[in-house]
Amino acid sequence: MAGLQRAAAGPKITDMEERSGRDSLRILPSALLAALDWAQACLPDEACGLLAGRQGRIERFLPVGNKDPSPDRFSTEPASLTRAHRAIRESGLEWRGVFHSHPRAEAFPSEADARGLALAPDMCLIASILPGRGPECRAFRRMQDRFEEIPVE
């Protein structure tokens, strides 16, 4: 999937500005901090979880276990995933996207991410947790065969 490759210069500012008003990830600070705390707790492996919200805003992060712990990929643990989906339904929120971390890579979708996120909503939030640097979060929308970065608010 050539469309998953990061462009050398990244997205054009004008493209990002055109999308920002209608296509961005709005996330409550408490949900973002919960996701980043989970990512730190899962080191040296990738962390994963669900993002839930309503009316275009992420209000809650729900951690999900990584069935096959690895620093290079994640695979959701079925019972943990079921519990997270049940909690979303019971709270009246909607499943809006997937969060996962990259402890050894930048915050851009990989080929493995594209395959693993095939059945997820079209939005993902990735946190790069590289040693010696603070976490970096980026959000992406799946657009058929590629991911497009969207602003995080």
Side-chain angles (χ1 to χ4, degrees):
M1 294 181 152
L4 294 178
Q5 298 301 315
R6 177 179 157 195
K12 294 179 189 173
I13 298 297
T14 54
D15 292 343
M16 192 67 79
E17 289 170 352
E18 288 174 13
R19 290 191 309 271
S20 66
R22 61 182 164 79
D23 196 15
S24 62
L25 173 65
R26 295 181 356 191
I27 185 167
L28 292 179
S30 58
L32 181 59
L33 289 173
L36 292 174
D37 286 348
W38 180 241
Q40 289 288 337
C42 291
L43 286 173
D45 299 318
E46 285 198 8
C48 54
L50 303 184
L51 301 170
R54 65 181 126 228
Q55 299 175 345
R57 181 175 73 180
I58 303 301
E59 299 178 19
R60 188 170 173 198
F61 168 73
L62 296 100
V64 173
N66 189 343
K67 181 175 73 168
D68 302 307
S70 164
D72 300 313
R73 65 182 44 99
F74 71 96
S75 176
T76 56
E77 192 277 314
S80 180
L81 182 62
T82 299
R83 283 191 300 275
H85 277 293
R86 184 179 308 121
I88 291 171
R89 280 193 311 277
E90 291 173 355
S91 69
L93 298 174
E94 299 171 355
W95 181 27
R96 307 297 298 170
V98 173
F99 166 85
H100 74 282
S101 63
H102 283 180
R104 297 192 325 187
E106 297 292 333
F108 289 95
S110 66
E111 294 288 335
D113 293 339
R115 289 187 301 276
L117 296 171
L119 300 178
D122 69 345
M123 194 277 302
C124 69
L125 178 66
I126 302 173
S128 175
I129 314 287
L130 293 171
R133 293 184 10 195
E136 176 184 31
C137 292
R138 292 195 164 142
F140 299 86
R141 285 223 186 273
R142 190 176 49 246
M143 309 294 285
Q144 296 180 15
D145 66 342
R146 64 186 172 84
F147 283 92
E148 184 174 86
E149 186 171 2
I150 59 173
V152 177
E153 299 177 6

